[in-house]
């Protein structure tokens, strides 16, 4: 965009904020920009890109991120440069945390198998430390949801502050408003009504549906988790979670939870019964 004369200051301002903030969390090496692949144009009629685009995200084995430019993908220049830059900042800040999360791999049958990602663990046989949440649950006991929620809450905060510094205002049209609130973490459960869904069609409608599912299934559950286990101290627990995800060390987080909720809180909340099934132990031996 800079080559076409577009002002990209908001993105670079956000990059500086990412470096400073993540250094506080002991993440000194960010995802290299040359390992971020950005798709701006699609031959698919009606293609609509952005953070909630299908199959967008970080590939942990290849160690690169695949993202799309926000908005209609009929050409290589975004229709709304400011929104596209905010969306790219949110995606990059999010994927930097995935890139910087502690990971451990072993070889199983000649194939690399991830046994640790952040503060979640997995047996070589496939059993995860924490079980999936029941469908439609308003809260979470799943470490994957907690880590994803923590990463995106941080990315949204950085994006929101970048927009405020650049005085980028919320658009008035439906898609622009929803996208802006999604990028900046200001989307509410009441923002997407049944009537609004009826007004949208094609890939815009599909994009909004994915946006709603992510908000309900990840962001809202994570906010509920913070409110449940750290009322009045949500940001303290959030910071501890991010630091633990980056280091892979749960001791500080566990001690903080134990101090407020009693011994063994981390395991009591997150550990699935199936993690210690005899079959799992036998396969992991």
């Amino acid at each position: 965009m800079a080559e076409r004369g577009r002002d990209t200051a908001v993105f670079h301002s956000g990059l500086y904020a990412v470096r400073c903030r993540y250094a506080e969390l002991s993440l000194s090496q960010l995802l290299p920009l040359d390992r971020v692949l950005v798709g701006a144009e699609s031959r698919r009629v009606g293609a609509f890109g952005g953070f909630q685009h299908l199959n967008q995200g970080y590939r942990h084995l290849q160690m690169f991120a695949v993202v799309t430019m926000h908005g209609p993908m009929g050409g290589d220049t975004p229709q709304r440069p400011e929104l596209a830059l905010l969306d790219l900042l949110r995606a990059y800040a999010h994927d930097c945390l995935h890139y910087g999360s502690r990971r451990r791999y072993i070889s199983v049958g000649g194939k690399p198998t991830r046994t640790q990602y952040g503060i979640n663990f997995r047996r070589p046989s496939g059993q995860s430390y924490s079980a999936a949440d029941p469908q439609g649950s308003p809260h979470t006991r799943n470490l994957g949801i907690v880590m994803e929620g923590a990463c995106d809450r941080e990315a949204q905060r950085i994006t929101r502050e970048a927009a405020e510094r650049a005085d980028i205002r919320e658009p008035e049209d439906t898609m622009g408003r929803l996208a802006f609130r999604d990028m900046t973490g200001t989307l509410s459960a009441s923002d997407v009504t049944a009537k609004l869904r009826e007004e949208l069609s094609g890939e815009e409608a599909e994009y909004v549906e994915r946006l709603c599912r992510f908000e309900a299934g990840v962001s809202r559950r994570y906010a509920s988790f913070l409110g449940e286990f750290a009322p009045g101290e949500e940001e303290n627990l959030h910071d501890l979670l991010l630091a633990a995800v980056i280091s892979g060390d749960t001791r500080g987080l566990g001690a903080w939870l134990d101090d407020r909720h009693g011994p063994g809180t981390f395991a009591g909340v997150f550990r699935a019964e199936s993690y210690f099934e005899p079959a799992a132990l036998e396969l992991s031996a």
Side-chain angles (χ1 to χ4, degrees):
M1 278 193 274
E3 295 174 354
R4 296 177 181 271
R6 301 290 187 181
D7 185 358
T8 59
V10 64
F11 182 78
H12 291 287
S13 167
L15 283 185
Y16 179 75
V18 168
R19 293 189 187 99
C20 294
R21 168 60 173 158
Y22 291 1
E24 293 176 358
L25 298 168
S26 299
L27 178 57
S28 57
Q29 185 175 353
L30 303 182
L31 173 63
L33 288 172
D34 61 5
R35 300 199 68 79
V36 181
L37 308 181
V38 183
E41 186 174 3
S42 174
R43 290 178 292 181
R44 192 175 66 254
V45 177
F48 193 92
F51 183 84
Q52 304 293 355
H53 187 274
L54 191 63
N55 296 324
Q56 173 164 319
Y58 183 71
R59 273 61 172 165
H60 69 95
L61 278 178
Q62 296 84 0
M63 296 182 70
F64 64 74
V66 178
V67 302
T68 53
M69 194 76 74
H70 176 78
M73 300 178 70
D76 61 358
T77 302
Q79 289 186 2
R80 300 186 181 195
E82 288 184 337
L83 276 186
L85 287 166
L86 289 176
D87 191 72
L88 286 176
L89 174 60
R90 185 259 192 103
Y92 180 70
H94 183 109
D95 288 341
C96 274
L97 289 170
H98 285 319
Y99 172 79
S101 298
R102 180 74 167 90
R103 293 183 299 277
R104 183 176 300 170
Y105 299 87
I106 63 171
S107 178
V108 177
K111 295 181 179 181
T113 300
R114 190 173 64 186
T115 58
Q116 179 181 1
Y117 167 58
I119 55 175
N120 199 13
F121 307 89
R122 187 178 296 275
R123 299 284 186 191
S125 53
Q127 281 86 353
S128 177
Y129 186 87
S130 64
D133 293 324
Q135 187 173 2
S137 173
H139 56 75
T140 186
R141 295 294 185 268
N142 179 269
L143 283 170
I145 296 295
V146 168
M147 292 191 298
E148 183 72 5
C151 289
D152 203 50
R153 182 186 180 97
E154 193 61 36
Q156 288 173 323
R157 184 189 64 78
I158 288 170
T159 305
R160 182 170 62 252
E161 292 176 355
E164 290 171 355
R165 286 193 299 271
D167 196 28
I168 298 176
R169 306 295 178 85
E170 177 180 295
E172 296 182 358
D173 66 287
T174 298
M175 279 302 298
R177 182 177 70 253
L178 291 175
F180 182 86
R181 292 182 181 182
D182 179 45
M183 296 169 194
T184 58
T186 55
L187 191 72
S188 70
S190 61
D191 282 332
V192 184
T193 63
K195 181 180 178 181
L196 185 151
R197 282 186 168 96
E198 292 174 359
E199 295 173 354
L200 299 172
S201 61
E203 289 208 15
E204 285 192 356
E206 294 172 6
Y207 189 90
V208 169
E209 286 297 331
R210 287 192 293 272
L211 181 154
C212 293
R213 287 197 296 270
F214 189 90
E215 169 65 18
V218 177
S219 302
R220 220 174 299 158
R221 287 184 187 180
Y222 178 61
S224 176
F225 170 79
L226 293 178
E228 181 180 1
F229 286 92
E233 299 180 285
E234 289 90 346
E235 292 308 313
N236 290 340
L237 178 55
H238 173 69
D239 288 355
L240 279 168
L241 277 162
L242 285 177
V245 167
I246 291 167
S247 69
D249 187 343
T250 63
R251 287 176 295 183
L253 172 62
W256 193 93
L257 290 170
D258 287 352
D259 184 57
R260 287 153 180 79
H261 302 285
T265 297
F266 183 89
V269 170
F270 293 116
R271 190 171 64 201
E273 293 181 7
S274 61
Y275 191 68
F276 284 124
E277 288 180 351
L281 293 173
E282 180 181 347
L283 287 169
S284 65

